[in-house]
Amino acid sequence: MSTRQSDRPAVVARGVHKAYGDVRAVDGVSFTVDRGEFFGVIGPNGAGKTTLIEILEGLRRADTGEVEVLGLSPWPRNPALLPRLGLQTQNSAFFTRLTAIEHLRTVTALYGVDRRRADDVLALVGLTGKASTRVDRLSGGQRQRLAIAAALTHDPELLFFDEPTAAVDPQARRSLWDLLRRLKATGKTIIYTTHHIDEAEALCDRVAIVDQGRLVALDTPRALVNGLNRPTVVRVPADRLSTEDARGIEGVDAVTLEAAVLSLSTQVPGRVLAAVSDLAGPHEVRTHTASLEDVYLSLTGREYQP
Ligand SMILES: Nc1ncnc2c1ncn2[C@@H]1O[C@H](COP(=O)(O)OP(=O)(O)OP(=O)(O)O)[C@@H](O)[C@H]1O
Ligand SMILES: [Mg+2]
């Protein structure tokens, strides 16, 4: 092989399978993640996201298929790779009897980095005020933020986050988005699972949608949404515009009335909005366009899966 490790993608997975007994948790998945990419993995509970990520992290062994991480094989555990990866797992392990800062200092010691880094990463996740609180007395969301801090202590180049915002409050979630964007801006590669589809849409360069162990879509959020080819819906209070007038607007393909709101479907929202504004004024007129959540629901179904 003449290709240097540093020229290889961050992750290459080819035909990866992993079964637990009869359950095909990961069922033939192939994809590549580029260096510096923010790569999202979304899918229903039990879709195989954590299993897939743990295979990439070197925590689980694939039954078949090939996996390459930063140009190296993550299995068997590769000591050259570990310091270059940051892991926040779905069930992060803590030194629960230590305080938050002691926990992070222990992590810095394990990685052999300056212990002052513990204070820096605690500040990055907004937990400085909890430095002397014992880990087992932190709230669920605070503990999750501590796990994120721990994943950053050794400044790794490839970061894995498995539902980092699951129990995190809205303000902390937005702070975390900022932090993740700053990490991406410094060239880090980020692999990220979430059930907040808005989050995947806002943060990720590309998103993989996984369902029952298979990759059912992989593209940029915008391309996924465009691929859905859904009309834009313009909503107007029904007391401001008659159904008849709405139907008469050029570019309106369908009009429905529900809960005293008229919904006008169109492929040319700019033109329809201008016409609605002329007839009814702009006040309380709302537009709804398809989002990544619509793509997700259309591909993975609306029903709970067993
Ligand atoms: N250690 C295990 N032993 C047996 N089955 C497992 C094990 N871990 C996961 N599974 C099964 O594999 C499938 C995929 O699980 P996985 O945890 O990868 O899903 P997930 O997409 O991460 O789900 P969630 O969104 O709930 O975190 C599920 O059916 C699960 O029950
Ligand atoms: Mg999971």
Side-chain angles (χ1 to χ4, degrees):
M1 288 260 286
S2 61
T3 328
R4 286 178 302 150
Q5 273 172 29
S6 57
D7 294 334
R8 300 292 302 153
V11 168
V12 180
R14 276 189 223 102
V16 175
H17 288 82
K18 173 83 186 176
Y20 301 109
D22 293 343
V23 177
R24 292 183 185 175
V26 178
D27 196 12
V29 167
S30 305
F31 62 92
T32 298
V33 179
D34 289 329
R35 303 259 178 158
E37 195 172 9
F38 202 133
F39 188 87
V41 181
I42 60 177
N45 292 136
K49 304 178 296 295
T50 296
T51 305
L52 178 61
I53 285 195
E54 289 185 350
I55 290 169
L56 304 180
E57 292 169 336
L59 300 177
R60 285 181 198 277
R61 181 185 197 164
D63 295 339
T64 56
E66 288 167 47
V67 180
E68 191 189 300
V69 173
L70 301 174
L72 299 166
S73 169
W75 189 277
R77 269 305 177 101
N78 189 335
L81 202 48
L82 291 183
R84 300 170 65 193
L85 308 183
L87 316 184
Q88 175 263 323
T89 61
Q90 215 168 355
N91 296 300
S92 297
F94 295 102
F95 304 104
T96 49
R97 301 181 79 82
L98 301 183
T99 66
I101 193 70
E102 287 166 351
H103 170 77
L104 290 176
R105 284 185 187 139
T106 308
V107 176
T108 59
L110 290 174
Y111 281 109
V113 297
D114 189 333
R115 74 199 303 259
R116 279 171 299 185
R117 178 80 185 149
D119 300 275
D120 298 344
V121 292
L122 199 64
L124 279 180
V125 298
L127 279 185
T128 304
K130 293 287 173 190
S132 345
T133 302
R134 262 173 56 160
V135 171
D136 56 6
R137 293 183 191 148
L138 292 174
S139 75
Q142 289 165 346
R143 214 171 298 169
Q144 225 165 329
R145 283 150 67 183
L146 186 64
I148 293 161
L152 300 174
T153 48
H154 52 299
D155 198 26
E157 57 195 271
L158 172 55
L159 287 154
F160 293 94
F161 294 109
D162 197 354
E163 295 188 40
T165 55
V168 168
D169 69 57
Q171 287 92 334
R173 192 161 83 103
R174 290 300 172 138
S175 306
L176 187 65
W177 290 19
D178 288 342
L179 172 59
L180 292 166
R181 287 190 171 119
R182 290 202 302 276
L183 290 168
K184 177 178 159 64
T186 63
K188 310 288 185 199
T189 308
I190 301 173
I191 298 187
Y192 196 88
T193 82
T194 180
H195 288 293
H196 297 292
I197 311 297
D198 62 328
E199 189 164 289
E201 189 160 19
L203 294 173
C204 296
D205 295 315
R206 284 191 305 153
V207 173
I209 304 181
V210 179
D211 195 16
Q212 299 184 344
R214 292 172 186 265
L215 206 63
V216 294
L218 171 58
D219 214 327
T220 62
R222 181 194 277 213
L224 290 169
V225 172
N226 288 344
L228 208 54
N229 227 355
R230 289 266 172 91
T232 297
V233 177
V234 178
R235 298 204 170 104
V236 195
D239 59 356
R240 304 250 308 283
L241 185 67
S242 72
T243 308
E244 203 174 31
D245 283 348
R247 289 215 170 95
I249 295 172
E250 205 185 321
V252 169
D253 301 319
V255 178
T256 54
L257 173 63
E258 199 183 325
V261 174
L262 281 185
S263 293
L264 288 55
S265 301
T266 179
Q267 299 288 351
V268 283
R271 203 191 301 169
V272 169
L273 268 177
V276 166
S277 193
D278 283 347
L279 290 167
H283 191 55
E284 285 183 293
V285 175
R286 306 261 185 274
T287 55
H288 176 82
T289 48
S291 66
L292 188 61
E293 186 157 6
D294 296 307
V295 179
Y296 176 91
L297 291 173
S298 81
L299 289 174
T300 61
R302 281 162 197 277
E303 305 296 322
Y304 284 119
Q305 291 176 353

